[in-house]
Amino acid sequence: MKKTSLNFALTLLLGLFLSFFLPWWSGMLAALIVGAIVRLRKAAAFVVPFSAIALLWLVNAYWLSSANDFILAEKITVLLQIENNLFLLFLVTGLIGGLSAGFAGLLGNQINQLFFTKTE
Amino acid sequence: MIMLWKFSLLMKWLKFFSALLATVGIFYALNSKFGQIPPLGKFLSPHQGFWQNDVSEDLLIQDVQLPGLGSKVEISFDEHLIPHVYATTNEDLYRAQGYLTAQARLWQMEFQTYAAAGRLSEVVGSSALNYDREQRRKGMLWAAENTMAFMMQDEEIATYVKAYTAGVNAYINSLTMGQYPVEYKLLDYAPEEWTPLKTALLLMYMTDMLAGGDNDLEFSNLVNEMGKTQFDFLFPDFFDAIDPVIPKERDWSSWEVEVPEVPEGAYPVDPKTGFMTKPHPDNGSNNWAVGPEKSVSGNPILANDPHLGLNLPSIWYVMHLETPEKNTFGATLPGALGVISGFNEFISWGVTNATRDVKDWYQIQFDDDKSHYWHDDQWKPTTLRIEEIKVKVEETFYDSIYFTHHGPVSYDESFKGNGGHSTGYAMQWIGHEANNNQRTFIELNAAQNYDDYVAALSHYTAPAQNFVFSSTEGDVALWIQGKFPNKWEGQGKFYLDGSNPEHDWQGFIPQEHNAHVKNPERGFVSSANQHPVDEQYPYYVFNDGYDMTRSRVINDFFRSKEQFDIEDFKALHNNNYNLLAAELVPVFLRELNTDGLSAEALDVLELVKNWDFNNDMDVEGATIFQLWWPKVRNAIYDEIEAMESHVRYPFTYRTYELLRDYPDHELMDIQETEKIETATDLINAAFLDTVEEVVELRSQGRSLAWVDFKSTYVGHLLQGLPAFSRFNIPIGGNGGIVNATSKNHGPSWRMIVEMSDPPRAYGVYPGGQSGNPGSKYFDDLIDIWAKGDYLSLDLTRRSDESPAHIKQTLSPQQ
């Protein structure tokens, strides 16, 4: 449980930090690095980085868009043909961020197992 | 044990590779553009994607250092984000203009130059390849290169253009990927460096839009199909009812004029099919000015409204540009320097398109390997230019274009040619002339009187414009300015023989003989794309599709009373009087047989009868007319429609004359039927069809109110992307009406200036100052424009005294 929280917090913080310098895949990189350091078991290896980056993307997107009355977000729902469904737009944004980080987290976890974990 | 250990290691590697594959796979999937879908990872990421663009300028604009500035430039943005710019020198001013324009409209200004240069395939892929080839084969890029080289020989202009370029680039270089305009993210590309060539390309874009049309090949085909007599009857050079730009009273007899003689010999006659896209036929404008005697206040008043496609971001960007030497306000074109339609403390000016036949086609005879063409009884060398058209994710396309002394051979066997290997069609176009049109606008911005205005115009070649002028000195004037070939009678109305030197352009109308008028007796000047002059003008002019309605409504308005004020001008901008309907409907009603009409038909008829011919928003009569009239026209021209070669219908006013004066003309017959029809039959049949259509529309619950039927929209530049467009705009008017707002075309900038001291001015356009669809300033002027209201354009506003909505300082680099 401790490891779960640690992975979550580190992924979130590192993701935020890297996003100032790196493109959209900064969340993937954060999940990968943290996954390689803080090992998680089974589904958690995917779910934890997924949640961390999904949350980061969601909060960041909401913070940007709400300050502007969601003017562009509304238009993007038309563009993506999910007419005026802002909730769905945020959901998709979180999902995309989360999915990318989830797989990268899995990869980090495998790297950890392969190179840093001693076989029992 | 060992076996087990090995097995578990194998499993680990397997898991590792699956995870690696999944990660790489998802990275690739989210980083790539699939068809129209933007790369979702990039696009939805809050720190790189569109979320970064969900912001208005209030939070964005900040003070910056702008390398190359001599001293500080202060900018105060008003509540609609119009920048009031105060610079110390011209060079600083244009550097700031470049920076500020890019800050507001970067994607648009670059996209338009891509469109001009025939580079859209680079951005949108092979779907634009045909368009790009057209642009190249028109010689757009070639001519822009020539113009750029010519313009940069003018040291003063070169200095300003370089400063503007550096200003744009300073903005581009300041951007992170997250700050790119959202359209770049949608299409997944990045801005490239601005160059002086792009300024030349932007000016070419306007030239193509405004002077890129012609009917030569259609007219030739029509003569082939119906004979010269019938053609001349359907396409007269002048109408009796014309009210030309230069008043008929103008006397030209004092000029010494030489016009080339009509050569002997025949025109080429092979029918031509397959054409390039033409500019929108409604591209045009209104402008007018009243002199001191006709003005209530005694100050001249001037107005302008250019009619163009209604787009977002708008073609115009409004700026107030001030230095200690000049104080100019008005509409700028993102990509070009200075104000294009505007005013300063001394003068005001505006532009309407001065359509003339400045594009001619020559049939070219090549030798076997196209290295030579036949001209003046000898083989002359062609020049081959290979155009490289990059195509997104596909192979680069190379287009071979042969040039003759006329210009590029646009049509040949590789592109919409139909004469086989050895025949081509070369385009000679005034747009190809290297020019320094940029200087005209720079000089107009600082002009102080009539003489300055005339001097500024002398550099101007194309697209020819009716430059309306007024000054605080009390002058009003109008010059029809452009470089016009001095043609023999009939030259260029049909396509020409490229081998006959007598078919070549023989020279140009001298600058001082360009038609103009200063302080005419009638007390006002005006233009609305009508005939520039009447038959008395000593140079050859023929009907190139001139306006016959707006011009007469405007001139009648100014003849209707003694004096006018700004409110009258506003009312005229918003005038919805449909003169075509006012002239045609009585003819329709004269011919309509009302016996035995159904109750529904009588009801529809009442709507037309009770209509006052104003295309106001709520009237249904305007809709009925709009349904009825094209049916009559199409029935008349069924013979032309059936022709195999590419042709066109006669102009609208001629069609009206036919119905009014020649109801038994042979064209009235419908070929398919045994009976010989007359205008009466066509008008009655079209009416019954209209009634049927109205019943159908009503049964679908559709509103017949003109505003709903017309449903004006302002479409995003990127193929009218609905997400970034505005629909169902509440405004009346239509093409051919002074308020020329049709479905997606209309007054793209409305300006009124009274030449008091200081001038009082108003302006508005259907868009917004911001080019960002996420900004509240993206389309905030549309509603004001639709209502017929204006913004006040205050020339006396100073950076230090007025309350600025947003302030910005551009400082020299420390």
Side-chain angles (χ1 to χ4, degrees):
Chain A
M1 200 59 215
K2 250 177 129 183
K3 275 195 168 176
T4 311
S5 312
L6 184 66
N7 184 303
F8 183 85
L10 281 178
T11 307
L12 193 73
L13 285 174
L14 188 62
L16 179 64
F17 178 71
L18 291 179
S19 75
F20 293 118
F21 322 99
L22 295 177
W24 71 273
W25 42 264
S26 52
M28 290 182 80
L29 188 62
L32 185 109
I33 293 171
V34 176
I37 299 168
V38 185
R39 190 182 165 188
L40 296 174
R41 299 209 175 257
K42 301 200 171 143
F46 181 86
V47 174
V48 173
F50 177 102
S51 318
I53 297 301
L55 182 72
L56 179 67
W57 280 36
L58 269 176
V59 170
N60 196 349
Y62 187 86
W63 179 71
L64 288 166
S65 193
S66 61
N68 195 44
D69 295 331
F70 307 101
I71 295 176
L72 189 58
E74 302 259 12
K75 292 181 182 179
I76 297 296
T77 63
V78 178
L79 187 92
L80 299 179
Q81 293 171 8
I82 47 168
E83 232 86 351
N84 299 319
N85 195 336
L86 268 185
F87 178 77
L88 191 58
L89 182 64
F90 279 104
L91 200 73
V92 170
T93 298
L95 195 72
I96 295 287
L99 273 180
S100 65
F103 284 108
L106 268 186
L107 180 63
N109 206 47
Q110 293 308 319
I111 290 170
N112 178 293
Q113 290 200 31
L114 206 51
F115 301 110
F116 304 132
T117 311
K118 285 190 181 134
T119 29
E120 291 105 50
Chain B
M1 273 309 272
I2 284 173
M3 279 299 285
L4 258 178
W5 182 82
K6 276 199 171 157
F7 179 72
S8 94
L9 186 67
L10 185 70
M11 278 310 288
K12 276 187 185 174
W13 277 101
L14 256 174
K15 279 186 184 170
F16 169 77
F17 278 115
S18 329
L20 184 66
L21 210 67
T23 308
V24 171
I26 195 132
F27 174 82
Y28 177 77
L30 298 180
N31 198 50
S32 313
K33 186 169 183 281
F34 296 99
Q36 302 286 340
I37 303 165
L40 285 176
K42 280 189 200 176
F43 190 68
L44 293 175
S45 143
H47 60 277
Q48 187 185 353
F50 80 86
W51 295 103
Q52 287 283 328
N53 305 92
D54 206 343
V55 61
S56 297
E57 281 72 4
D58 311 53
L59 297 176
L60 274 185
I61 290 176
Q62 51 189 351
D63 295 345
V64 290
Q65 289 188 358
L66 184 54
L69 276 184
S71 41
K72 265 189 191 174
V73 178
E74 303 276 356
I75 300 111
S76 131
F77 291 88
D78 69 15
E79 67 274 23
H80 292 288
L81 219 64
I82 294 175
H84 300 257
V85 185
Y86 310 91
T88 315
T89 64
N90 272 335
E91 200 181 326
D92 281 357
L93 184 73
Y94 295 122
R95 192 177 300 269
Q97 186 181 4
Y99 185 89
L100 294 169
T101 306
Q103 178 174 276
R105 301 285 187 85
L106 176 62
W107 175 76
Q108 168 198 9
M109 66 194 288
E110 191 180 70
F111 187 76
Q112 288 174 337
T113 62
Y114 274 56
R119 293 182 56 193
L120 289 185
S121 302
E122 253 176 77
V123 179
V124 301
S126 56
S127 60
L129 186 58
N130 187 57
Y131 171 86
D132 285 343
R133 290 189 70 193
E134 285 189 357
Q135 294 301 87
R136 306 289 177 108
R137 300 187 78 91
K138 277 186 223 166
M140 292 285 287
L141 183 55
W142 166 70
E145 286 167 5
N146 295 342
T147 281
M148 197 268 294
F150 185 77
M151 174 170 79
M152 297 308 271
Q153 285 168 18
D154 180 333
E155 265 179 50
E156 187 191 4
I157 299 299
T159 308
Y160 300 157
V161 170
K162 283 179 192 160
Y164 184 94
T165 300
V168 176
N169 286 329
Y171 180 73
I172 293 175
N173 295 331
S174 76
L175 296 179
T176 63
M177 270 185 289
Q179 289 166 324
Y180 288 169
V182 69
E183 291 90 344
Y184 288 106
K185 300 177 184 180
L186 258 181
L187 297 171
D188 196 24
Y189 72 117
E192 65 173 24
E193 224 181 40
W194 189 264
T195 58
L197 176 65
K198 292 195 172 178
T199 291
L201 279 166
L202 190 274
L203 294 168
M204 277 305 288
Y205 181 73
M206 296 308 293
T207 306
D208 186 37
M209 192 184 289
L210 296 171
D214 74 274
N215 293 299
D216 303 13
L217 296 153
E218 289 91 333
F219 283 173
S220 291
N221 287 342
L222 272 171
V223 170
N224 282 344
E225 299 263 7
M226 59 169 58
K228 188 78 164 56
T229 315
Q230 179 78 303
F231 175 83
D232 286 343
F233 173 77
L234 290 176
F235 290 89
D237 288 347
F238 294 90
F239 301 115
D240 291 340
I242 62 165
D243 198 342
V245 175
I246 305 301
K248 288 183 170 182
E249 300 81 62
R250 178 74 154 88
D251 180 14
W252 316 95
S253 57
S254 63
W255 288 358
E256 275 192 36
V257 168
E258 273 181 59
V259 176
E261 290 214 9
V262 181
E264 307 260 321
Y267 290 100
V269 291
D270 311 311
K272 173 82 185 75
T273 55
F275 286 90
M276 297 200 268
T277 325
K278 299 208 176 186
H280 196 294
D282 283 353
N283 287 344
S285 321
N286 305 318
N287 65 21
W288 57 78
V290 296
E293 288 89 46
K294 260 190 119 61
S295 163
V296 172
S297 66
N299 302 312
I301 316 176
L302 173 144
N304 187 199
D305 62 300
H307 308 154
L308 296 170
L310 301 177
N311 288 324
L312 285 168
S314 164
I315 185 108
W316 303 108
Y317 178 62
V318 175
M319 298 184 93
H320 176 195
L321 300 172
E322 185 171 355
T323 66
E325 270 87 51
K326 68 180 183 204
N327 186 6
T328 319
F329 207 146
T332 72
L333 286 171
L337 283 66
V339 167
I340 305 295
S341 162
F343 61 100
N344 60 34
E345 285 156 309
F346 307 99
I347 71 153
S348 55
W349 76 97
V351 286
T352 68
N353 202 24
T355 318
R356 287 276 266 281
D357 186 26
V358 291
K359 182 187 266 190
D360 288 330
W361 292 95
Y362 291 87
Q363 192 175 47
I364 298 295
Q365 167 95 44
F366 287 118
D367 65 357
D368 282 344
D369 62 356
K370 294 203 170 84
S371 63
H372 292 80
Y373 66 106
W374 189 248
H375 180 258
D376 199 10
D377 292 324
Q378 51 190 301
W379 290 105
K380 295 190 174 171
T382 55
T383 314
L384 174 61
R385 182 179 155 108
I386 298 179
E387 294 280 355
E388 180 189 31
I389 305 175
K390 293 184 187 144
V391 185
K392 188 161 193 163
V393 303
E394 285 176 45
E395 258 178 65
T396 299
F397 185 92
Y398 294 94
D399 209 1
S400 298
I401 305 176
Y402 295 89
F403 282 70
T404 66
H405 73 292
H406 301 291
V409 181
S410 308
Y411 300 119
D412 60 18
E413 62 177 338
S414 80
F415 191 75
K416 298 182 180 178
N418 56 345
H421 177 71
S422 61
T423 307
Y425 295 84
M427 175 201 287
Q428 179 145 15
W429 182 31
I430 202 68
H432 292 149
E433 294 263 321
N435 65 70
N436 194 2
N437 294 336
Q438 181 62 72
R439 175 168 270 286
T440 294
F441 294 104
I442 302 269
E443 287 188 14
L444 272 178
N445 280 221
Q448 303 196 353
N449 52 46
Y450 178 78
D451 291 340
D452 289 351
Y453 149 82
V454 173
L457 293 196
S458 67
H459 310 288
Y460 189 85
T461 61
Q465 298 290 299
N466 304 304
F467 281 90
V468 69
F469 167 88
S470 78
S471 72
T472 46
E473 290 176 357
D475 289 328
V476 294
L478 198 154
W479 271 74
I480 303 179
Q481 178 59 31
K483 195 169 177 184
F484 299 113
N486 181 3
K487 294 183 167 186
W488 37 265
E489 170 131 21
Q491 188 180 14
K493 191 167 182 176
F494 311 100
Y495 73 83
L496 296 161
D497 179 357
S499 68
N500 183 351
E502 289 178 316
H503 281 206
D504 288 5
W505 283 6
Q506 305 291 318
F508 294 94
I509 296 176
Q511 169 63 25
E512 65 274 18
H513 284 186
N514 275 346
H516 60 274
V517 61
K518 182 189 177 193
N519 299 329
E521 219 161 287
R522 66 184 188 180
F524 71 95
V525 294
S526 78
S527 73
N529 323 106
Q530 74 267 46
H531 278 77
V533 290
D534 67 2
E535 297 96 316
Q536 303 306 314
Y537 184 61
Y539 294 94
Y540 177 59
V541 170
F542 68 91
N543 185 4
D544 208 17
Y546 292 126
D547 167 84
M548 280 301 289
T549 47
R550 287 179 285 119
S551 51
R552 289 154 70 212
V553 173
I554 291 165
N555 288 352
D556 288 347
F557 180 80
F558 286 113
R559 292 185 188 109
S560 70
K561 60 177 183 174
E562 288 300 308
Q563 293 189 319
F564 297 84
D565 61 15
I566 283 180
E567 290 310 310
D568 292 317
F569 273 47
K570 289 180 178 174
L572 186 53
H573 266 165
N574 292 284
N575 184 309
N576 287 335
Y577 189 63
N578 188 336
L579 180 55
L580 174 67
E583 293 186 329
L584 258 180
V585 168
V587 176
F588 283 9
L589 296 180
R590 183 188 76 193
E591 304 292 341
L592 191 68
N593 181 3
T594 52
D595 297 341
L597 283 183
S598 66
E600 276 157 340
L602 287 171
D603 175 51
V604 169
L605 183 59
E606 278 308 296
L607 289 174
V608 180
K609 277 187 171 170
N610 296 333
W611 179 35
D612 63 0
F613 304 123
N614 282 301
N615 278 44
D616 295 333
M617 283 195 270
D618 53 351
V619 296
E620 297 185 325
T623 305
I624 309 295
F625 174 72
Q626 194 61 30
L627 292 170
W628 189 359
W629 138 244
K631 294 189 197 354
V632 177
R633 181 196 57 205
N634 296 348
I636 301 174
Y637 298 133
D638 59 329
E639 293 85 351
I640 295 179
E641 194 61 48
M643 290 174 185
E644 280 191 12
S645 55
H646 192 97
V647 289
R648 63 155 299 142
Y649 290 172
F651 299 116
T652 299
Y653 190 77
R654 188 57 180 162
T655 310
Y656 156 65
E657 286 187 330
L658 282 184
L659 285 164
R660 187 190 64 190
D661 303 335
Y662 304 90
D664 302 326
H665 191 271
E666 56 182 300
L667 275 174
M668 300 295 171
D669 180 40
I670 295 182
Q671 284 183 310
E672 283 175 6
T673 62
E674 296 273 307
K675 189 184 164 194
I676 306 288
E677 281 86 358
T678 65
T680 315
D681 299 308
L682 303 189
I683 289 168
N684 279 281
F687 180 71
L688 294 178
D689 287 350
T690 302
V691 172
E692 220 171 276
E693 203 175 343
V694 166
V695 170
E696 174 65 24
L697 286 169
R698 280 186 173 151
S699 73
Q700 294 167 3
R702 296 264 299 276
S703 156
L704 288 180
W706 174 240
V707 68
D708 299 320
F709 183 78
K710 178 173 67 139
S711 54
T712 294
Y713 73 98
V714 185
H716 187 259
L717 258 185
L718 199 57
Q719 296 160 332
L721 215 58
F724 298 162
S725 306
R726 276 279 298 274
F727 298 92
N728 300 318
I729 301 185
I731 185 165
N734 200 12
I737 293 174
V738 180
N739 173 14
T741 314
S742 53
K743 192 173 181 61
N744 183 225
H745 202 277
S748 60
W749 159 241
R750 281 177 173 155
M751 176 182 77
I752 298 173
V753 190
E754 175 167 352
M755 296 314 294
S756 47
D757 181 24
R760 251 193 335 140
Y762 303 89
V764 73
Y765 67 94
Q769 289 286 89
S770 173
N772 174 18
S775 166
K776 62 184 178 195
Y777 304 104
F778 180 62
D779 54 5
D780 60 329
L781 303 181
I782 291 182
D783 298 321
I784 301 172
W785 169 84
K787 252 188 261 168
D789 289 341
Y790 299 77
L791 310 178
S792 170
L793 309 177
D794 183 2
L795 201 55
T796 64
R797 184 175 165 127
R798 292 288 175 275
S799 59
D800 44 354
E801 65 191 42
S802 57
H805 183 60
I806 307 171
K807 283 198 152 227
Q808 185 174 31
T809 306
L810 309 178
S811 321
Q813 207 157 27
Q814 300 289 303

